[in-house]
């Protein structure tokens, strides 16, 4: 999966990441009561200037939570002695880090040293969805920021080429169910993918087919036109659904029509339970939104940090 690009496997039990019971919707009521409004204002301003911000923030949060828990390790810059997560191959195309930086700057002025970068990212991702026409939800807060960020660990993110077994294993290692998998995949309703993430489906698919036969033929032709075999256009690619700036259930409608980009999207139709959920979400936007909000709360509650950073790009000294 990936919220617009990728993810992978890991012996996750070896990491000290857990669902935290310490999180609370009221965590900042006394120490920083205007935290949510401050973040919403920053996200809203950024969206006015750049329509790609919602997809970027949602994907950034997902990629953060799937490595060491939701600890803002994806925000840390590389140093002379360490290549950080944001510079790992699946994360090279992550952007809009400035939105989190701006929110942190405003919050440091309001309530110094109180709000973690991990909470800012989780709240910003929620606002990105809500401000794009999707659901909102009450988000438990109190995450801490991690001190470790390694580019080598980004290979743990689920890849767009994953089959259903690989996806199930990746999600279950993080305490997430098959329903969470299908619901969170709906985040693909926002965003854009480069050709490299779906090239395997439109060229040399297997020994018998050049194109994945599960892909709708005219859709495949359009993708091959944009992404020829030896594509030389650096940022060539396709939107993840035709309503890319609006958060809705179009992703599922296109999926059942054979118009999905990734192998990991198509894989959701290969198993009876996940196929049934795809059909249900394609039929009912309300059911999808309810499930998405529930799964986002669950994923966002995987914790693993130790401190509150003063600057989101560097650990405290």
């Amino acid at each position: 999966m990936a919220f617009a690009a990728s993810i992978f496997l890991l012996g996750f039990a070896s990491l000290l990441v857990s669902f935290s019971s310490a999180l609370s919707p009221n965590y900042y009521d006394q120490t920083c009561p205007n935290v949510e409004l401050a973040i919403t204002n920053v996200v809203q301003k950024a969206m006015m200037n750049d329509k790609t911000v919602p997809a970027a923030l949602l994907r950034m949060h997902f990629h953060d939570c799937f490595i060491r828990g939701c600890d803002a390790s994806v925000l840390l810059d590389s140093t002379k002695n360490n290549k950080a997560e944001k510079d790992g191959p699946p994360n090279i195309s992550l952007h809009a880090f400035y939105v989190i930086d701006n929110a942190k700057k405003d919050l440091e002025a309001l309530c110094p040293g109180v709000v973690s970068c991990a909470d800012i990212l989780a709240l910003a991702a929620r606002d990105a969805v809500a401000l794009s026409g999707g659901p909102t939800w009450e988000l438990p807060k109190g995450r801490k920021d991690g001190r470790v960020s390694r580019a080598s660990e980004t290979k743990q993110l689920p890849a767009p080429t994953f089959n259903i077994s690989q996806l199930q294993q990746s999600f279950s290692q993080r305490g997430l169910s098959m329903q969470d998998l299908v619901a969170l995949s709906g985040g693909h309703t926002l965003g854009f993918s480069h050709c490299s993430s779906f090239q395997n489906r439109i060229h040399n698919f297997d020994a018998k087919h050049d194109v994945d036969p599960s892909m709708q033929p005219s859709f495949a032709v359009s993708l091959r036109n944009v992404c020829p075999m030896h594509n030389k256009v650096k940022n060539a690619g396709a939107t993840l659904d035709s309503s890319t700036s609006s958060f809705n259930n179009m992703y599922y409608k296109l999926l059942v029509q054979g118009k999905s980009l990734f192998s990991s999207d198509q894989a959701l139709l290969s198993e009876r339970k996940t196929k049934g959920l795809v059909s249900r979400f394609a039929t009912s936007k309300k059911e999808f939104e309810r499930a998405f909000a529930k799964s986002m709360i669950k994923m966002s509650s995987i914790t693993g940090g130790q401190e509150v950073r003063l600057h989101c790009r560097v650990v405290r000294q």
Side-chain angles (χ1 to χ4, degrees):
M1 173 179 170
F3 276 168
S6 25
I7 359 185
F8 216 80
L9 284 160
L10 150 91
F12 210 62
S14 64
L15 296 182
L16 298 178
V17 179
S18 63
F19 286 95
S20 176
S21 58
L23 301 182
S24 165
N26 307 314
Y27 189 83
Y28 295 114
D29 282 3
Q30 301 303 317
T31 56
C32 196
N34 293 320
V35 57
E36 297 199 31
L37 179 60
I39 294 170
T40 300
N41 288 340
V42 170
V43 173
Q44 195 164 30
K45 182 178 179 180
M47 287 175 60
M48 290 173 64
N49 297 316
D50 183 355
K51 65 180 182 180
T52 71
V53 162
L57 294 175
L58 189 56
R59 184 175 174 228
M60 192 189 299
H61 180 46
F62 185 87
H63 282 217
D64 181 41
C65 293
F66 257 63
I67 303 296
R68 292 177 165 264
C70 310
D71 67 344
S73 54
V74 75
L75 303 179
L76 289 171
D77 284 341
S78 294
T79 65
K80 181 175 64 175
N81 300 315
N82 179 66
K83 189 175 180 180
E85 285 174 34
K86 63 167 60 170
D87 293 319
N91 287 341
I92 291 296
S93 59
L94 290 180
H95 67 286
F97 292 102
Y98 72 91
V99 180
I100 307 303
D101 292 337
N102 290 345
K104 180 63 171 174
K105 182 180 178 181
D106 287 355
L107 287 167
E108 285 301 304
L110 281 175
C111 30
V114 172
V115 183
S116 69
C117 300
D119 273 345
I120 294 172
L121 180 51
L123 287 162
R126 181 199 64 182
D127 289 347
V129 170
L131 292 169
S132 299
T136 189
W137 52 91
E138 187 172 58
L139 187 71
K141 296 169 284 291
R143 294 162 193 78
K144 294 294 187 287
D145 300 323
R147 297 182 58 83
V148 177
S149 181
R150 300 190 182 107
S152 60
E153 293 182 353
T154 60
K155 61 187 176 183
Q156 299 160 7
L157 292 167
T161 55
F162 267 18
N163 61 36
I164 194 65
S165 296
Q166 291 169 311
L167 288 169
Q168 182 175 11
Q169 183 176 5
S170 182
F171 274 65
S172 65
Q173 285 172 337
R174 293 154 175 85
L176 300 172
S177 68
M178 293 291 269
Q179 175 149 334
D180 296 321
L181 163 62
V182 180
L184 292 172
S185 294
H188 284 170
T189 192
L190 297 174
F192 173 91
S193 172
H194 292 106
C195 297
S196 57
S197 292
F198 57 87
Q199 197 86 0
N200 65 304
R201 297 189 69 201
I202 59 174
H203 298 291
N204 299 322
F205 178 69
D206 61 24
K208 292 184 178 180
H209 306 93
D210 193 29
V211 174
D212 184 344
S214 66
M215 188 175 280
Q216 204 268 347
S218 63
F219 179 65
V221 169
S222 69
L223 292 179
R224 284 166 65 94
N225 287 336
V226 174
C227 304
M229 174 73 86
H230 301 293
N231 173 55
K232 294 182 180 179
V233 180
K234 184 178 179 181
N235 292 315
T239 55
L240 289 150
D241 87 32
S242 53
S243 62
T244 187
S245 61
S246 178
F247 192 94
N248 53 41
N249 64 336
M250 183 60 71
Y251 162 81
Y252 301 102
K253 294 180 180 181
L254 293 172
L255 180 52
V256 297
Q257 294 171 22
K259 296 180 180 179
S260 62
L261 288 187
F262 304 144
S263 296
S264 58
D265 293 327
Q266 184 62 30
L268 300 181
L269 299 179
S270 66
E271 197 267 351
R272 184 171 60 86
K273 181 176 181 179
T274 54
K275 184 177 182 180
L277 288 166
V278 168
S279 179
R280 188 192 309 172
F281 296 157
T283 303
S284 174
K285 183 173 181 281
K286 279 191 176 181
E287 280 211 48
F288 161 54
E289 290 184 342
R290 190 179 304 117
F292 183 81
K294 182 179 179 181
S295 293
M296 281 294 288
I297 293 170
K298 188 174 178 183
M299 182 191 76
S300 297
S301 298
I302 306 172
T303 58
Q306 303 83 35
E307 66 181 23
V308 174
R309 288 183 215 139
L310 299 181
H311 303 281
C312 290
R313 294 172 180 262
V314 295
V315 298
R316 293 188 73 154
Q317 300 302 315

